[in-house]
Amino acid sequence: MTALDLSSPVAVVGTGTMGQGIAQVALVAGHPVRLYDAAPGRAQAAADAIGARLDRLVEKDRLTGADRDAARARLLPAESLAELADCALVIEAVLERLDVKQELFRALEGIVGEDCLLATNTSSLSVTAIGGALDNPGRFVGLHFFNPAPLLPLVEVVSGFATDVTSATRAYETARAWGKTPVACADTPGFIVNRIARPFYAEAFAVYEAQGADPATIDAVLRECGGFRMGAFELTDLIGQDVNESVTHSVWQSFFQDVRFTPSLAQRRLVESGRLGRKSGHGWYDYAEDAEASEPHTAEKTRQPAYVVVEGDLGPASELLALIREAGIPVREEDEDHGTRLVLPGGGQLALADGQTSVEFRDVVYFDLAVDYRRATRIALSASQDTSPQTLAEATGLFQALGKDVSVIGDVPGMIVARTVARIVDLAHDAVAKGVATEEDIDTAMRLGVNYPLGPFEWSRRLGRNWAYALLDDLHLRDPSGRYAPSLALYRHAYASDKREGSTS
């Protein structure tokens, strides 16, 4: 099954920001495009807005004047649904209400031809439920574009329970012909991106609710240590707290209130207060012109340790040893089977976040996971009230000697980046095991859809065979609510790897 022929008209119903963006994508690809909106005058206004954006593309030398003129000639506002009768594809981008979408597609089914492909751009509703209102749900598919649609490459092609393979394939190939990167996905709450991304927000909010760190510090650690493009607090302020919480709540409800997807009470209070983010002028951060910028906690400069002793294998943090030596700090190595840590001159220990807490041990400071310790510009340390000031100072001085800013947070098991990545990896393995998508499509979706530095399976391979399982298992022991219980899929992944390596553990 191939993509739609460029001569085939494409219709977009709903002319808000997303609808206009999808229409522009189809138009620039070469299709005749019809725009329809139930509100009088909106389709024409949307066509005018798209025309203005085409002008800007010409000004930036991204489109020729001739191509712009041809595209404008192919763009037609429609005054009624009946004018969409000859379209080969109709994509809706209307209000996120099941009854509204079902009513629209029932009407369209009586207008368009039998071979017309019907698609929804829903981000939170069930494709199966929307298509369930149709006499022929086999031609119904999800085409979930990301905003802004003309710029972001990812399109989730979602097959409902009754979607024909031929319909899904045609939608997939059409999205690819439009210059997008499609990924195939089963109809599951949140699809790929909005399902697997939930921990990115949830764990940041959980650390904040536990008074482990403030929003600015958590965001800085996620960016400068974790390699994420934006922190969870600034990103949800950009998205809109009401929008982000609504998606979280929808996924949680759709999974029958699965504790792994529980919404944040702190975010609920933010929404209730009307602090919705940038669009309201205040969210987690204040966006007033005279507002003082929120700065992350950064430790004062302290002296570097005279040496460090490394015991065992530091695993994902092994590259630190080269950085320490390059900084001129002597490294003494001891072959200790029971340890994966650095011992500081005062006798205190420095260990990579593993899901345990500092208070459980005599004198331990934890440091967070980094996507790349050489390139990271900030490292988070976690200590308890019982940690000696000397150990914390030596740990701080060590990372400062490596050129890193240091943020000291509370005694939070799994810290910030490590627990976030572990949960993302877990949900990704669970999704593959349940037939949601392939490993490759999940990695592609998370890199392109939300700009993660690595896909979940890329993280998993880099971090080691059972890193995520071990961290979540330790977290689960300390929070037995079920939120951190490793999935059966992750357990099987870790155990299978163990067997291949001859382990009997």
Side-chain angles (χ1 to χ4, degrees), residues 1-5 88 114-117 138-139 164-177:
M1 182 63 66
T2 58
L4 293 178
D5 188 272
E114 292 182 0
D115 58 349
C116 177
L117 190 63
R139 62 167 163 174
D164 291 336
V165 173
T166 53
S167 298
T169 303
R170 172 159 283 187
Y172 184 99
E173 294 300 333
T174 297
R176 184 158 62 178

Side-chain angles (χ1 to χ4, degrees), residues 95-292:
L95 189 66
E96 283 286 274
R97 274 180 44 186
L98 179 62
D99 59 335
V100 172
K101 294 180 187 292
Q102 287 179 328
E103 182 180 355
L104 168 64
F105 283 110
R106 277 195 295 263
L108 284 168
E109 194 172 36
I111 294 170
V112 300
E114 292 182 0
D115 58 349
C116 177
L117 190 63
L118 299 177
T120 174
N121 183 59
T122 186
S123 61
S124 61
L125 299 177
S126 165
V127 171
T128 301
I130 300 171
L134 300 178
D135 291 331
N136 179 17
R139 62 167 163 174
F140 187 74
V141 66
L143 277 176
H144 181 217
F145 290 76
F146 288 73
N147 195 28
L151 297 180
L152 294 186
L154 185 69
V155 177
E156 292 177 318
V157 181
V158 186
S159 293
F161 187 78
T163 302
D164 291 336
V165 173
T166 53
S167 298
T169 303
R170 172 159 283 187
Y172 184 99
E173 294 300 333
T174 297
R176 184 158 62 178
W178 290 357
K180 296 301 181 182
T181 303
V183 292
C185 175
D187 184 22
T188 185
F191 309 144
I192 298 175
V193 173
N194 279 329
R195 172 180 177 149
I196 295 175
R198 293 349 293 164
F200 178 75
Y201 312 108
E203 294 313 306
F205 298 161
V207 172
Y208 167 75
E209 290 173 339
Q211 300 186 55
D214 61 277
T217 299
I218 296 170
D219 278 353
V221 172
L222 286 168
R223 288 194 314 269
E224 301 171 38
C225 182
F228 293 95
R229 186 75 60 87
M230 298 179 73
F233 296 90
E234 59 186 336
L235 180 54
T236 52
D237 267 359
L238 178 63
I239 294 169
Q241 297 302 331
D242 52 339
V243 174
N244 181 261
E245 194 219 18
S246 176
V247 173
T248 299
H249 195 270
S250 174
V251 172
W252 175 62
Q253 289 282 23
S254 297
F255 276 114
F256 308 104
Q257 300 186 1
D258 186 330
V259 69
R260 295 176 301 166
F261 300 100
T262 301
S264 161
L265 181 59
Q267 187 180 39
R268 175 93 290 263
R269 293 293 179 257
L270 202 67
V271 172
E272 289 173 339
S273 72
R275 294 186 171 186
L276 306 182
R278 288 183 177 273
K279 63 185 177 183
S280 70
H282 204 304
W284 296 109
Y285 300 108
D286 187 350
Y287 297 96
E289 289 186 7
D290 58 348
E292 186 175 339

Side-chain angles (χ1 to χ4, degrees), residues 372-403:
D372 183 332
Y373 283 100
R374 183 173 293 278
R375 297 177 60 185
T377 58
R378 182 179 299 272
I379 294 293
L381 300 180
S382 175
S384 75
Q385 65 272 22
D386 295 330
T387 304
S388 76
Q390 180 182 354
T391 297
L392 183 57
E394 288 176 343
T396 300
L398 174 64
F399 282 104
Q400 289 174 339
L402 306 186

